[in-house]
């Protein structure tokens, strides 16, 4: 991973932070993306990597991120769409429109936005790796997890379709 450019969303805790740590230790230039600026600052300082504060549910923020990555690094080798969360784990009839929209936006739309924005960069490079993290909820369901599960199942199937679109360019 030496000299590779890796962008990780949701990189200030859990899997995201662990991946940022591992890629940094392996010599990659890591850019952690997260909403919480305090946690972002703490992680980037601790790991010695870069960070960008942004809301992954905002399409225009993805455009700015792409421009920043290309200006700063000149390329991207790995995009890891890790940001996600339960938002509102309760029966669907108890969820508000705002909660439903937020869950789908965070867990599915953000992944599609990132892939859509960076696909042209990867195509131009003729290589790259996109990793979209989903959940066991993409294949199994439990009470109160229906909206989250629907979004994560969407990530799984979106990723399968994306692979068929990009594989000819070694992505």
């Amino acid at each position: 991973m030496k000299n590779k450019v890796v962008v990780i969303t949701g990189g200030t805790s859990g899997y995201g932070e662990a991946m940022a740590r591992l890629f940094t230790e392996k010599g990659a230039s890591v850019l952690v993306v997260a909403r919480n600026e305090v946690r972002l600052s703490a992680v980037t300082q601790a790991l010695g990597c870069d960070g960008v504060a942004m809301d992954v549910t905002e399409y225009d923020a993805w455009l700015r991120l792409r421009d920043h990555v290309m200006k700063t690094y000149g390329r991207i080798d790995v995009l890891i769409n890790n940001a996600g969360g339960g938002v509102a784990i309760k029966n669907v009839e108890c969820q508000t429109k705002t909660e439903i929209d937020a869950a789908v936006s965070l867990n599915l739309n953000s992944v599609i936005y990132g892939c859509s924005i960076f696909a042209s960069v990867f195509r131009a490079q003729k290589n790259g790796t996109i990793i979209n993290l989903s959940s066991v909820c993409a294949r199994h369901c439990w009470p109160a997890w229906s909206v989250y599960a629907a979004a994560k199942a969407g990530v799984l199937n979106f990723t399968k379709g994306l692979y068929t679109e990009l594989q000819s360019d070694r992505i």
Side-chain angles (χ1 to χ4, degrees):
M1 290 305 303
K2 191 162 182 65
N3 301 319
K4 299 291 184 180
V5 177
V6 180
V7 175
I8 304 171
T9 68
T12 59
S13 64
Y15 292 131
E17 183 178 359
M19 287 184 285
R21 183 177 315 282
L22 180 63
F23 283 118
T24 300
E25 289 171 357
K26 297 291 183 185
S29 294
V30 175
L31 179 70
V32 173
V33 176
R35 286 181 298 191
N36 186 313
E37 292 184 38
V38 172
R39 287 192 350 215
L40 181 62
S41 178
V43 167
T44 57
Q45 287 179 18
L47 300 181
C49 63
D50 293 330
V52 169
M54 72 173 246
D55 183 343
V56 295
T57 68
E58 294 179 10
Y59 186 84
D60 289 343
W62 279 99
L63 292 171
R64 290 188 298 275
L65 177 64
R66 180 203 54 209
D67 293 347
H68 173 75
V69 168
M70 296 312 293
K71 182 179 179 182
T72 304
Y73 304 100
R75 71 177 203 286
I76 179 174
D77 297 294
V78 181
L79 171 63
I80 302 175
N81 285 304
N82 173 64
V87 179
I89 305 303
K90 51 189 175 182
N91 289 343
V92 68
E93 75 273 10
C94 299
Q95 292 191 40
T96 66
K97 178 188 181 306
T98 301
E99 291 169 332
I100 293 167
D101 289 348
V104 173
S105 184
L106 175 60
N107 293 292
L108 176 59
N109 294 359
S110 68
V111 172
I112 296 171
Y113 294 163
C115 293
S116 172
I117 302 282
F118 278 101
S120 61
V121 175
F122 285 123
R123 277 196 197 276
Q125 297 174 165
K126 295 274 188 212
N127 68 20
T129 301
I130 299 172
I131 300 170
N132 297 327
L133 276 78
S134 185
S135 167
V136 67
C137 289
R139 295 186 183 270
H140 301 283
C141 297
W142 294 273
W145 289 84
S146 58
V147 174
Y148 176 82
K152 291 303 188 176
V155 169
L156 177 61
N157 283 316
F158 169 75
T159 302
K160 289 177 182 179
L162 184 67
Y163 173 75
T164 67
E165 294 176 22
L166 299 176
Q167 68 177 341
S168 64
D169 287 313
R170 299 179 49 205
I171 303 161

